[in-house]
Amino acid sequence: MTVLQRSDWYDVARDTNWTPTFVSEDELFPPQMSDPFNMPKEAWAEYDEPYKVSYAEYVKVQRDKDAGVYAVNTAAARTRFMEEAGQRWHSILKLHFGAVSLAESISQIAEGRMARFGKAPGMRNMATFGLLDEIRHGQSQLYFAHESLKHSPQFNWARKLLGTNEWGAIMTRATLDDVFLGRDAVTTAIMLTFAFETGFTNMQFIGLAADAAEAGDTSFSNLISSIQTDESRHAQIGAPLLKLMVKNGYKAEAQKAVDIGFWRTYRFFALLTGTVIDYFMPLEKRTSSFKEFMQEWIVEQFERTLLDLGLDLPWYWDYFLEDIDSFHHGMHLGWWLYRDTVWFNVPAGVSAPEREWLEAKYPGWGQSWGKIWDQIADNILAGKTDLTVPKTLPVVCSFNNLPIIHTPTKPWDPKGQMLTYKGKKYYFQSHVEKWVFEQDPDRYAAHQTLIDQFLAGLIQPPDYEGALNFMSLSPIERGKDADNYAWAFQDQGPGQIAAE
Ligand code: MN
Ligand code: MN
């Protein structure tokens, strides 16, 4: 018997739309879950997914991918890579697994929403495979993190983080709830698959994989590259949708969803990837700076994709291009200063050669951020490490719970960064966060930042130690300086490492 080629039967077999007779179209696809823009059926009929795969093909490829990932891991376990990798590399893994494992797992809900409520059969097909992908991503990363538990209890935060009130967890939930979980199928496809996955996951999963390979962690490098091959497939759900929205007169709606999704996603990755690539990564293993990765993946590739689809650059693009020079430097300073509020040990990443690298990649870094690190190093050298830990909570963005920062050498005018809504004052990281808030204030108004919860009396006792307990950080889980302050002593001759 001759077997048909997939291309001979796919279009017919996947066309599972019919006219419902037992219920109305709107009952089958409630607009608030499916398509709040109410695009006509003829528009939806044009949806054409660029990546076509049958279930049998999918299963075979995925089985091979998984076999490869676990085989490499087994082989790597026989080397002593993890034992010899050092704290900085362990910190990168702990941060990645904490922020990513369960985030991938819960994106099953987003894929499931598109698989059920997408109005085009091709969209539902791709999202079904996307859902299966995200099961694999959650499971494999939790497995890898669990295997590393023997090295440190902090690896348990791969599973623990998103269920806590740790501030990074509050930030992550606020972002994912908005971009992945709290949207209809159309907006999810734009914000999650187009903005988050097409725009940014490349950087975490290809940029970081390149650095991991360079650092000798073949197992982790292979794991996240394998994940990215799935992401680059299911990320293609959004683009054909954007194309048909533009063509059928819904450009403004599409553009707004891109602008919101992109900005929220950018903040998440600046914190997660920006700090890791520019500070955590051992200097000799770095392949590019965060800014260079952003220029390659976002400015060159994502920008072109947007214009090709008939969309515009987000209205804040000039501000965004300036922001990639500064925001993540402030966030890194935050990781380090508030190191006991995170689940990994934070490398300062500012030894003399690292400062030179930072100055070369970000001209002016020394004058702005370097000066703050000078003061910190002086305090360490004087034995006053207690002065390097702020014992009070920072002012955070009402919207994403990140400390509000600005470049120290630039004048700061926060006028455009606050508003009052229904009697409550809101403070924002920038005018872009404020704009997003204004697009749908009731969606965001009730968000409780860590500071809101503190002021509401939920943190007891109402002090720094109370806050650490509120964040579920036991003393052995709290982060420390990853190099035990050795970096501050580097010019003082060998062997002088400060006691903790
Ligand atoms: Mn994934
Ligand atoms: Mn995904």
Side-chain angles (χ1 to χ4, degrees), residues 104 107 133-134 137 197 227 231 234:
E104 298 230 52
S107 65
D133 291 338
E134 302 300 3
H137 304 172
E197 292 176 336
I227 288 174
E231 296 297 330
H234 66 240

Side-chain angles (χ1 to χ4, degrees), residues 337-382:
L337 288 173
Y338 289 93
R339 55 200 176 278
D340 48 9
T341 70
V342 297
W343 65 99
F344 49 88
N345 300 326
V346 188
V350 290
S351 65
E354 286 170 315
R355 284 163 176 248
E356 250 173 64
W357 182 90
L358 284 160
E359 183 63 34
K361 301 291 185 188
Y362 301 91
W365 181 91
Q367 269 303 312
S368 49
W369 305 99
K371 288 224 157 135
I372 300 175
W373 287 103
D374 289 342
Q375 180 62 53
I376 291 171
D378 285 349
N379 285 333
I380 295 169
L381 287 172

